[in-house]
């Protein structure tokens, strides 16, 4: 039986979500139509919007449904940037998700954006002193992760927003990895925009949302209908319904996940004493445990553990199959050989003590075999 320990990549759909999704798929009616079938679809859509808004403490008018976290992040970053012209500076760290980094680099190459890369500490924390010194009235926006998707470090979002507010600069937070694991209170965060995604909380892939403060202005990516405040296009009623159900079922079992995560971290220290925990040891996601294993190739560890029946990852699923060291670990100051020995284990609300203990029992053998294999760029030793 395969034990799933890669909840940061995606979570299994909850049975109630599957049922609601399947029930909504046959519904006929464009929610923008004024006939009764269209208005029934609109009612379903707006009830889902209210559920998603409630899950982050926002008003429903502040929720714009998107095709997922990546679109939400792009809409926030590009939309805020365009709306703030002629200001052209953006502050961000190199430890962001690639949805953010790639959007920033696109703006730099095609729209004249000037990216000021804010350093992070060796645990992945944003440098608030650097950020404060870099802020000025010509900054278009600040974008930051709420929680790092690889190493799990939690960023001081409210402190970032407070510093930016002194210069009238809007802040966007990518909360895709934090959503469902931390209490997100949008009104008290000080943010202009917040990105979330359904498939991280037991919902379907292909539906997410950008929460936009009433006071913020975002230029849309898509034009042609103005069905939502910041997005045109016929809305996905079934996906939104499923998202709403998943949002209404977010569990508050942080303490259980923290205890399970700490059991895993302590167990790895015993099973493989050379393993090094990465990310902030205290301010980290409840279900995240990220290590580097000296002398090991992370991909080798992943494949060996997969054969043993455990699904884990080396980092962001969006970069799976790309043979390069994690940009997050490099931003934290690790050298490339060390960064290539990374393994991320992420727990979900259904993860059990028995599953964690089974992983810990299988880990030493996988590490020993990965070390025997060495790094991918070493010369193979054939023969004896």
């Amino acid at each position: 039986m395969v034990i799933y320990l890669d909840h940061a990549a995606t979570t299994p759909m909850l049975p109630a979500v599957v049922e609601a999704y399947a029930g909504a798929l046959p519904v006929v009616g464009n929610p923008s139509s004024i006939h009764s079938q269209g208005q029934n679809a609109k009612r379903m859509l707006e009830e889902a919007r209210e559920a998603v808004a409630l899950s982050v403490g926002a008003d429903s008018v502040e929720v714009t449904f998107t095709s997922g976290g990546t679109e939400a992040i792009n809409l926030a970053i590009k939309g805020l940037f365009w709306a703030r012209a002629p200001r052209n500076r953006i502050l961000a760290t190199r430890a962001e998700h690639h949805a953010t980094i790639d959007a920033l680099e696109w703006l730099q190459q095609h729209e004249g954006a000037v990216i000021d890369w804010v350093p992070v500490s060796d645990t992945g924390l944003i440098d608030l002193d650097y950020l404060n010194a870099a802020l000025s009235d010509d900054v278009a926006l600040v974008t930051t992760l709420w929680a790092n998707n690889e190493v799990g470090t939690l960023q001081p979002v409210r402190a970032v927003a407070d510093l930016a507010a002194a210069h009238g600069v809007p802040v966007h937070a990518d909360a895709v990895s934090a959503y469902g694991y931390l209490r997100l209170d949008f009104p008290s965060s000080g943010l202009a925009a917040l990105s979330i995604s359904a498939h991280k909380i037991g919902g379907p892939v292909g539906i997410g949302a950008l929460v936009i403060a009433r006071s913020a202005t975002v230029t849309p990516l898509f034009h042609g209908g103005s069905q939502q405040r910041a997005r045109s296009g016929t809305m996905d009623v079934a996906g939104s319904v499923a998202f709403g159900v998943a949002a209404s079922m977010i569990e508050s079992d942080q303490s259980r996940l923290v205890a399970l995560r700490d059991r895993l971290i302590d167990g790895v220290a015993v099973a493989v004493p050379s393993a090094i925990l990465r990310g902030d040891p205290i301010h980290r996601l409840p279900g995240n445990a990220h290590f580097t294993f000296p002398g090991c190739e992370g991909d080798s560890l992943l494949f060996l553990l997969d054969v043993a029946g455990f699904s884990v990852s080396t980092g962001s699923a969006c970069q799976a199959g790309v043979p390069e060291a994690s940009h997050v670990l490099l931003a934290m100051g690790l050298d490339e050989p060390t960064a290539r020995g990374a393994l991320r284990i992420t727990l979900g609300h259904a993860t059990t003590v028995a599953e964690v203990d089974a992983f810990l029992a299988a880990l030493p053998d996988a590490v020993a075999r990965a070390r025997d294999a060495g790094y991918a760029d070493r010369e193979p030793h054939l023969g004896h």
Side-chain angles (χ1 to χ4, degrees), residues 91-334:
L91 303 180
T93 79
R94 290 192 180 275
E96 304 299 305
H97 189 280
H98 265 289
T100 290
I101 290 177
D102 291 359
L104 293 174
E105 290 180 343
W106 184 88
L107 286 172
Q108 185 177 45
Q109 294 168 13
H110 301 283
E111 299 290 310
V114 176
I115 314 302
D116 193 337
W117 297 107
V118 181
V120 295
S121 71
D122 59 2
T123 63
L125 275 172
I126 190 170
D127 187 332
L128 291 177
D129 289 336
Y130 183 101
L131 177 71
N132 190 37
L135 280 163
S136 62
D137 296 341
D138 69 333
V139 174
L141 71 139
V142 176
T143 183
T144 183
L145 283 161
W146 194 303
N148 190 278
N149 56 293
E150 291 194 23
V151 300
T153 297
L154 307 182
Q155 299 295 354
V157 172
R158 181 71 222 201
V160 170
D162 286 345
L163 290 175
H167 298 275
V169 175
V171 177
H172 160 253
D174 167 5
V176 171
S177 292
Y179 188 44
Y181 295 94
L182 301 174
R183 182 177 178 272
L184 305 181
D185 187 356
F186 183 67
S188 67
S189 68
L191 295 170
L194 178 80
S195 298
I196 54 177
S197 184
H199 77 104
K200 305 291 187 174
I201 61 165
V205 173
I207 183 78
L210 181 65
V211 186
I212 310 167
R214 291 173 180 269
S215 59
T217 301
V218 174
T219 300
L221 293 174
F222 307 148
H223 299 88
S226 301
Q227 285 89 345
Q228 296 187 88
R229 175 183 169 197
R231 186 181 192 266
S232 293
T234 302
M235 289 165 282
D236 178 2
V237 174
S240 300
V241 167
F243 191 0
V245 172
S248 68
M249 295 179 68
I250 290 176
E251 299 179 16
S252 300
D253 65 347
Q254 285 188 37
S255 59
R256 188 192 76 87
L257 267 183
V258 167
L260 204 56
R261 177 204 68 194
D262 291 347
R263 182 186 185 94
L264 172 61
I265 291 172
D266 293 343
V268 170
V270 172
V272 186
S274 61
I276 302 171
L277 179 68
R278 300 298 177 182
D280 194 283
I282 299 173
H283 304 292
R284 69 184 305 121
L285 282 170
N288 177 289
H290 186 288
F291 300 90
T292 54
F293 294 85
C296 293
E297 188 84 49
D299 285 343
S300 297
L301 270 176
L302 186 154
F303 291 130
L304 288 164
L305 287 165
D306 188 38
V307 170
F310 301 91
S311 297
V312 294
S313 73
T314 55
S316 173
C318 299
Q319 290 299 105
V322 180
E324 60 183 27
S326 162
H327 70 282
V328 173
L329 296 179
L330 296 178
M332 289 164 52
L334 277 66

